[in-house]
Amino acid sequence: AQSVTQLDSHVSVSEGTPVLLRCNYSSSYSPSLFWYVQHPNKGLQLLLKYTSAATLVKGINGFEAEFKKSETSFHLTKPSAHMSDAAEYFCVVRSTGGGNKLTFGTGTQLKVEL
Amino acid sequence: GAVVSQHPSRVICKSGTSVKIECRSLDFQATTMFWYRQFPKQSLMLMATSNEGSKATYEQGVEKDKFLINHASLTLSTLTVTSAHPEDSSFYICSARKGETGYGYTFGSGTRLTVV
């Protein structure tokens, strides 16, 4: 079985300050991990993915995430938040032994304030 | 890039009627498509996995006779909500997988279904 836990349902930051969205995973197999962003009433856009290559993954819009096996974590970070980053973020896991299904976290709503 | 088009983006229908939602992969062939349902302020829940030319595989608790899925070609999958009721109102999102590695998932922009 596989699962992801997003530790914060809401995160609020000031524009220009760092962003940290936390995600822990559980997987019986070597996982593939993803971060997606969803703006209101929109589909999902892939920010980045980890697929057993480099543990530090760089994505679009300045986001990056680090896969830490010892901590079973895949936290999403960005050095400086922008107003346009305000959205819902989902951490997603796909286990190589679990078919092609994606398991979504419950999401983290990021609010960026002036 | 890989683009998935989902149509319509919004639909309002009366109770008891059926609604069809289309999901098209525009620039690639999608052997597998996925249908998700998202309740307000909640995560995406997988409803079914659709493989071209075969019957869809439904997740536990999803009524296959209510949510009819057809994947007739490598670029088109449809979800039909039959005899819709207000509790079926939700945001439905499709996803198409490009290639066999399983890493290339592309999502449609979603369909907001409101049943009145």
Side-chain angles (χ1 to χ4, degrees):
Chain A
Q2 59 194 44
S3 66
V4 286
T5 302
Q6 291 185 244
L7 299 163
D8 308 293
S9 59
H10 294 82
V11 170
S12 184
V13 300
S14 298
E15 191 175 33
T17 64
V19 175
L20 170 64
L21 305 183
R22 298 182 293 168
C23 173
N24 286 95
Y25 70 91
S26 173
S27 175
S28 302
Y29 303 90
S30 298
S32 295
L33 293 156
F34 308 79
W35 275 98
Y36 283 89
V37 61
Q38 183 182 32
H39 290 90
N41 294 310
K42 299 291 186 183
L44 277 73
Q45 181 183 20
L46 178 67
L47 283 177
L48 50 80
K49 61 185 177 185
Y50 166 76
T51 56
S52 75
T55 56
L56 181 61
V57 182
K58 293 186 183 299
I60 62 171
N61 300 335
F63 285 95
E64 63 181 40
E66 185 171 8
F67 174 74
K68 291 187 177 180
K69 187 174 181 179
S70 61
E71 298 177 10
T72 60
S73 69
F74 190 59
H75 302 334
L76 181 70
T77 60
K78 183 174 180 176
S80 176
H82 191 273
M83 294 296 289
S84 60
D85 294 328
E88 186 86 17
Y89 291 80
F90 293 99
C91 182
V92 182
V93 65
R94 173 188 172 269
S95 289
T96 55
N100 295 313
K101 297 180 184 179
L102 300 180
T103 301
F104 284 76
T106 51
T108 298
Q109 182 71 46
L110 176 65
K111 183 178 180 181
V112 182
E113 301 173 319
L114 286 172
Chain B
V3 179
V4 172
S5 173
Q6 189 171 340
H7 179 80
S9 58
R10 290 178 178 272
V11 58
I12 301 173
C13 70
K14 293 184 178 180
S15 286
T17 62
S18 296
V19 174
K20 180 184 285 188
I21 302 170
E22 292 188 348
C23 181
R24 293 181 184 271
S25 55
L26 298 185
D27 51 0
F28 67 99
Q29 293 184 331
T31 54
T32 306
M33 289 186 174
F34 306 86
W35 287 96
Y36 296 86
R37 182 173 181 176
Q38 185 180 30
F39 291 100
K41 300 187 184 299
Q42 293 188 29
S43 190
L44 278 71
M45 300 300 295
L46 180 65
M47 298 174 65
T49 302
S50 163
N51 290 295
E52 185 266 338
S54 63
K55 290 184 178 180
T57 302
Y58 290 81
E59 295 300 299
Q60 191 172 11
V62 178
E63 299 176 60
K64 61 181 180 180
D65 293 331
K66 179 164 191 63
F67 298 100
L68 300 179
I69 292 173
N70 184 284
H71 193 161
S73 77
L74 286 171
T75 60
L76 174 64
S77 176
T78 60
L79 168 67
T80 301
V81 183
T82 63
S83 187
H85 287 89
E87 57 265 31
D88 298 325
S89 298
S90 191
F91 194 58
Y92 294 88
I93 303 177
C94 72
S95 171
R97 184 168 67 91
K98 178 180 180 181
E100 294 301 318
T101 62
Y103 300 138
Y105 297 86
T106 303
F107 287 80
S109 54
T111 298
R112 171 71 60 192
L113 171 63
T114 303
V115 185
V116 298

